[in-house]
Amino acid sequence: MARRFQQTSDDAETNAVRHLIRLFGIQVLCATLLVLVGTAPLFAQEKSVKPGINEAFQDVDVEKFIGRFENEGRDAYDHRHEIVKACQLKPGMVVADIGAGTGLFTRMFSPLVGPTGRIYAVDISEKFLKHIESTAQEQGLKNITGVVCKQDSVNLPPNSIDLAFICDTYHHFEFPHKTMESIHRALKPGGQLILIDFHRIEGVSREWLMTHVRAGQEVFTQEILESGFKQVDEKKKMLDESYFVRFEKTSTPELKLLLSGTGESELAPHGKGNIYAPDVMVDDGLFKMWYGCQGKDGHDRISYAESKDGEQWTRKGVVLSNGTANHVNDPSVVKVDGVYYMFYTRAEKDVIDQIDVATSKDGLNWETNGVALSPGAAGQWDALSVGRPTVLYEDGQFKMWYDGRKDFPLHSPVSNVPKSSKSRRDIGYATSRDGLHWVRHNNNPVFGRNAGGVDVKRLGDKLVLLYESGKGTHWASSPDGLQWRDLGLLAEKSGQETDAYGHVTPNLLPNATEHVHHLYIGTAPAPTWDHNQISVLHFDKEHLNRLLESQE
């Protein structure tokens, strides 16, 4: 069984393909691609969210747009001085005015950054840029440079700007995810982004805004958070029909590769290795890791390794095999009163996952104890499959979060199961007193976002939930494990080949050392998510705590 399907808010076709590979194996990849994406480059395309929205800017009447953009009655123009002040520009800063238009803010920013700073006026319209450059020359503004952008990129060099300013333009991003990736790359570490756009509220906003602007503040904010930013400020009530929100580029610690697949139980059918789903604890002075691995026979098993420092690992081999099942994987281990409890995904046939439990006195020799959680009742959100559990033991109670689904994508090569074009995963919650008998929460699912491969840990008085994606490791926070607030990306892809296609089944080890949390992840060097390796990121405890507090 090839590992592994990622389905977050990434491109839907990409998710469907990864889903099929995760569920049904690499042998169906070629046929699946022909059905889903034709001959297009694998996973390289993002669908336009509003085709043709920028056609009017291909051959603009500049004077006409000056009358629209630089006139009383436009919210951003009426409050231009407040906006500029709120940007907090300083001499020497490099600012990108993205969607600069006729150059209103470009010209206002120029003297504030001074001769040692620079303003990039970024726009898809060459006529706008020619107007901005000629006006700048007339006014003696020598620090302005025009940049012609593309529909999916701002065309700025990496680490070149301190601030990205996006005013009344984000809703014109035809390919928002790719455009935001290009902005993220262009920003220096710790660089900031200011978003100004229109409120889109049914019954409140003007009819023109409701039809012209594709989504409201919540959606745009979420897209930006998912692109590797955190929200740091919002100027409420400063504008009449718009919002002003400031974001900061998040920084990810250095990624270190720990383990690659070796041996019959880890090499996968392609022979290049596939290991993932690490679950790590510190116990009896040792770092102990249980992890999933795909053998050359295509089946998944659970293996075990030990380390003195959490980085140099010694494999101890397979500790839980598939037996009569199609696959077992995704271990979550807790130790209670000297007994290890392992909760894991098991599929007897095809990919109809259930969550099983095993117990051990030493973490090496396991006794299976049957099913902990089966798919839900017919018609429920998790009626078809449940898996990838994460378990905490607190206050005499086992607490489990898991992903589930009620159907598969339309093109899934399996019969006699429900299928849907809107197939997705959600996260449920269940509790148990003995680890064997479980009760689902009445208001499941407790988290959406098409999240899967989750890990839940406690940091202080908050719970954090981490989940996998093609962009990196996302996270959310909750006071009680039921009401979750999505916080966007915690750790973006490193830029290395190791995680070029995302992070799989993250696992946070709080207090790995006195000052550091360890984030163990399956890293995906291939778009198919079936050549995975295990890597680690080190987060300074105080930094992560401050980051968590700033997001609340």
Side-chain angles (χ1 to χ4, degrees), residues 93-109:
M93 288 183 68
V94 181
V95 179
D97 183 4
I98 297 170
T102 57
L104 169 64
F105 288 103
T106 297
R107 297 191 301 273
M108 295 182 73
F109 291 161

PDB file of all heavy atoms in Angstrom, residues 93-109:
ATOM      1  N   MET A  93      14.043  51.037   3.851  1.00  0.00           N
ATOM      2  CA  MET A  93      13.208  49.868   3.588  1.00  0.00           C
ATOM      3  C   MET A  93      13.030  49.655   2.090  1.00  0.00           C
ATOM      4  O   MET A  93      13.036  50.597   1.300  1.00  0.00           O
ATOM      5  CB  MET A  93      11.840  50.013   4.259  1.00  0.00           C
ATOM      6  CG  MET A  93      11.849  49.886   5.766  1.00  0.00           C
ATOM      7  SD  MET A  93      10.180  49.979   6.500  1.00  0.00           S
ATOM      8  CE  MET A  93       9.462  48.455   5.900  1.00  0.00           C
ATOM      9  N   VAL A  94      12.836  48.396   1.726  1.00  0.00           N
ATOM     10  CA  VAL A  94      12.499  48.031   0.349  1.00  0.00           C
ATOM     11  C   VAL A  94      11.060  47.532   0.357  1.00  0.00           C
ATOM     12  O   VAL A  94      10.734  46.556   1.041  1.00  0.00           O
ATOM     13  CB  VAL A  94      13.437  46.940  -0.197  1.00  0.00           C
ATOM     14  CG1 VAL A  94      13.072  46.602  -1.643  1.00  0.00           C
ATOM     15  CG2 VAL A  94      14.887  47.394  -0.103  1.00  0.00           C
ATOM     16  N   VAL A  95      10.207  48.229  -0.394  1.00  0.00           N
ATOM     17  CA  VAL A  95       8.767  47.968  -0.365  1.00  0.00           C
ATOM     18  C   VAL A  95       8.285  47.601  -1.762  1.00  0.00           C
ATOM     19  O   VAL A  95       8.673  48.241  -2.747  1.00  0.00           O
ATOM     20  CB  VAL A  95       7.995  49.200   0.145  1.00  0.00           C
ATOM     21  CG1 VAL A  95       6.493  48.932   0.155  1.00  0.00           C
ATOM     22  CG2 VAL A  95       8.481  49.599   1.540  1.00  0.00           C
ATOM     23  N   ALA A  96       7.428  46.593  -1.852  1.00  0.00           N
ATOM     24  CA  ALA A  96       6.778  46.244  -3.116  1.00  0.00           C
ATOM     25  C   ALA A  96       5.318  46.664  -3.041  1.00  0.00           C
ATOM     26  O   ALA A  96       4.574  46.150  -2.198  1.00  0.00           O
ATOM     27  CB  ALA A  96       6.895  44.749  -3.386  1.00  0.00           C
ATOM     28  N   ASP A  97       4.929  47.593  -3.896  1.00  0.00           N
ATOM     29  CA  ASP A  97       3.532  48.007  -4.033  1.00  0.00           C
ATOM     30  C   ASP A  97       2.928  47.106  -5.100  1.00  0.00           C
ATOM     31  O   ASP A  97       3.077  47.352  -6.303  1.00  0.00           O
ATOM     32  CB  ASP A  97       3.463  49.480  -4.437  1.00  0.00           C
ATOM     33  CG  ASP A  97       2.029  49.997  -4.525  1.00  0.00           C
ATOM     34  OD1 ASP A  97       1.096  49.233  -4.195  1.00  0.00           O
ATOM     35  OD2 ASP A  97       1.849  51.161  -4.938  1.00  0.00           O
ATOM     36  N   ILE A  98       2.278  46.049  -4.649  1.00  0.00           N
ATOM     37  CA  ILE A  98       1.812  44.996  -5.563  1.00  0.00           C
ATOM     38  C   ILE A  98       0.404  45.336  -6.053  1.00  0.00           C
ATOM     39  O   ILE A  98      -0.519  45.475  -5.262  1.00  0.00           O
ATOM     40  CB  ILE A  98       1.848  43.635  -4.861  1.00  0.00           C
ATOM     41  CG1 ILE A  98       3.303  43.301  -4.488  1.00  0.00           C
ATOM     42  CG2 ILE A  98       1.249  42.543  -5.744  1.00  0.00           C
ATOM     43  CD1 ILE A  98       3.453  42.116  -3.588  1.00  0.00           C
ATOM     44  N   GLY A  99       0.288  45.431  -7.363  1.00  0.00           N
ATOM     45  CA  GLY A  99      -0.934  45.966  -7.947  1.00  0.00           C
ATOM     46  C   GLY A  99      -0.906  47.478  -7.812  1.00  0.00           C
ATOM     47  O   GLY A  99      -1.863  48.094  -7.357  1.00  0.00           O
ATOM     48  N   ALA A 100       0.212  48.079  -8.217  1.00  0.00           N
ATOM     49  CA  ALA A 100       0.444  49.508  -7.971  1.00  0.00           C
ATOM     50  C   ALA A 100      -0.538  50.398  -8.700  1.00  0.00           C
ATOM     51  O   ALA A 100      -0.760  51.557  -8.302  1.00  0.00           O
ATOM     52  CB  ALA A 100       1.881  49.869  -8.368  1.00  0.00           C
ATOM     53  N   GLY A 101      -1.116  49.915  -9.791  1.00  0.00           N
ATOM     54  CA  GLY A 101      -2.097  50.719 -10.514  1.00  0.00           C
ATOM     55  C   GLY A 101      -1.506  51.999 -11.051  1.00  0.00           C
ATOM     56  O   GLY A 101      -0.481  52.000 -11.744  1.00  0.00           O
ATOM     57  N   THR A 102      -2.128  53.116 -10.702  1.00  0.00           N
ATOM     58  CA  THR A 102      -1.661  54.415 -11.192  1.00  0.00           C
ATOM     59  C   THR A 102      -0.547  55.006 -10.330  1.00  0.00           C
ATOM     60  O   THR A 102      -0.059  56.096 -10.618  1.00  0.00           O
ATOM     61  CB  THR A 102      -2.843  55.404 -11.265  1.00  0.00           C
ATOM     62  OG1 THR A 102      -3.451  55.500  -9.965  1.00  0.00           O
ATOM     63  CG2 THR A 102      -3.882  54.930 -12.270  1.00  0.00           C
ATOM     64  N   GLY A 103      -0.160  54.298  -9.263  1.00  0.00           N
ATOM     65  CA  GLY A 103       1.005  54.710  -8.486  1.00  0.00           C
ATOM     66  C   GLY A 103       0.730  55.624  -7.317  1.00  0.00           C
ATOM     67  O   GLY A 103       1.661  56.243  -6.783  1.00  0.00           O
ATOM     68  N   LEU A 104      -0.516  55.700  -6.867  1.00  0.00           N
ATOM     69  CA  LEU A 104      -0.858  56.569  -5.742  1.00  0.00           C
ATOM     70  C   LEU A 104       0.035  56.299  -4.533  1.00  0.00           C
ATOM     71  O   LEU A 104       0.698  57.195  -4.009  1.00  0.00           O
ATOM     72  CB  LEU A 104      -2.325  56.366  -5.359  1.00  0.00           C
ATOM     73  CG  LEU A 104      -2.779  57.012  -4.038  1.00  0.00           C
ATOM     74  CD1 LEU A 104      -2.674  58.532  -4.117  1.00  0.00           C
ATOM     75  CD2 LEU A 104      -4.203  56.570  -3.674  1.00  0.00           C
ATOM     76  N   PHE A 105       0.070  55.046  -4.068  1.00  0.00           N
ATOM     77  CA  PHE A 105       0.852  54.732  -2.871  1.00  0.00           C
ATOM     78  C   PHE A 105       2.343  54.617  -3.178  1.00  0.00           C
ATOM     79  O   PHE A 105       3.175  54.916  -2.311  1.00  0.00           O
ATOM     80  CB  PHE A 105       0.316  53.457  -2.211  1.00  0.00           C
ATOM     81  CG  PHE A 105      -1.018  53.647  -1.542  1.00  0.00           C
ATOM     82  CD1 PHE A 105      -2.185  53.198  -2.136  1.00  0.00           C
ATOM     83  CD2 PHE A 105      -1.106  54.325  -0.331  1.00  0.00           C
ATOM     84  CE1 PHE A 105      -3.414  53.399  -1.532  1.00  0.00           C
ATOM     85  CE2 PHE A 105      -2.334  54.535   0.286  1.00  0.00           C
ATOM     86  CZ  PHE A 105      -3.494  54.069  -0.320  1.00  0.00           C
ATOM     87  N   THR A 106       2.677  54.215  -4.381  1.00  0.00           N
ATOM     88  CA  THR A 106       4.097  54.186  -4.761  1.00  0.00           C
ATOM     89  C   THR A 106       4.731  55.552  -4.544  1.00  0.00           C
ATOM     90  O   THR A 106       5.819  55.675  -3.953  1.00  0.00           O
ATOM     91  CB  THR A 106       4.241  53.768  -6.238  1.00  0.00           C
ATOM     92  OG1 THR A 106       3.738  52.434  -6.406  1.00  0.00           O
ATOM     93  CG2 THR A 106       5.697  53.812  -6.674  1.00  0.00           C
ATOM     94  N   ARG A 107       4.059  56.588  -5.001  1.00  0.00           N
ATOM     95  CA  ARG A 107       4.596  57.954  -4.862  1.00  0.00           C
ATOM     96  C   ARG A 107       4.599  58.406  -3.407  1.00  0.00           C
ATOM     97  O   ARG A 107       5.520  59.112  -2.966  1.00  0.00           O
ATOM     98  CB  ARG A 107       3.778  58.929  -5.712  1.00  0.00           C
ATOM     99  CG  ARG A 107       3.833  58.647  -7.203  1.00  0.00           C
ATOM    100  CD  ARG A 107       3.223  59.793  -8.013  1.00  0.00           C
ATOM    101  NE  ARG A 107       1.829  60.055  -7.656  1.00  0.00           N
ATOM    102  CZ  ARG A 107       0.785  59.428  -8.198  1.00  0.00           C
ATOM    103  NH1 ARG A 107       0.984  58.484  -9.126  1.00  0.00           N
ATOM    104  NH2 ARG A 107      -0.446  59.729  -7.846  1.00  0.00           N
ATOM    105  N   MET A 108       3.593  58.018  -2.641  1.00  0.00           N
ATOM    106  CA  MET A 108       3.536  58.427  -1.238  1.00  0.00           C
ATOM    107  C   MET A 108       4.594  57.702  -0.402  1.00  0.00           C
ATOM    108  O   MET A 108       5.132  58.261   0.554  1.00  0.00           O
ATOM    109  CB  MET A 108       2.135  58.157  -0.664  1.00  0.00           C
ATOM    110  CG  MET A 108       1.037  58.999  -1.315  1.00  0.00           C
ATOM    111  SD  MET A 108      -0.612  58.712  -0.598  1.00  0.00           S
ATOM    112  CE  MET A 108      -0.451  59.552   0.982  1.00  0.00           C
ATOM    113  N   PHE A 109       4.911  56.457  -0.788  1.00  0.00           N
ATOM    114  CA  PHE A 109       5.909  55.688  -0.044  1.00  0.00           C
ATOM    115  C   PHE A 109       7.333  56.185  -0.314  1.00  0.00           C
ATOM    116  O   PHE A 109       8.209  56.106   0.558  1.00  0.00           O
ATOM    117  CB  PHE A 109       5.840  54.211  -0.431  1.00  0.00           C
ATOM    118  CG  PHE A 109       4.604  53.489   0.034  1.00  0.00           C
ATOM    119  CD1 PHE A 109       4.221  52.286  -0.559  1.00  0.00           C
ATOM    120  CD2 PHE A 109       3.820  53.987   1.059  1.00  0.00           C
ATOM    121  CE1 PHE A 109       3.098  51.605  -0.136  1.00  0.00           C
ATOM    122  CE2 PHE A 109       2.679  53.315   1.493  1.00  0.00           C
ATOM    123  CZ  PHE A 109       2.325  52.118   0.887  1.00  0.00           C
TER     124      PHE A 109
END
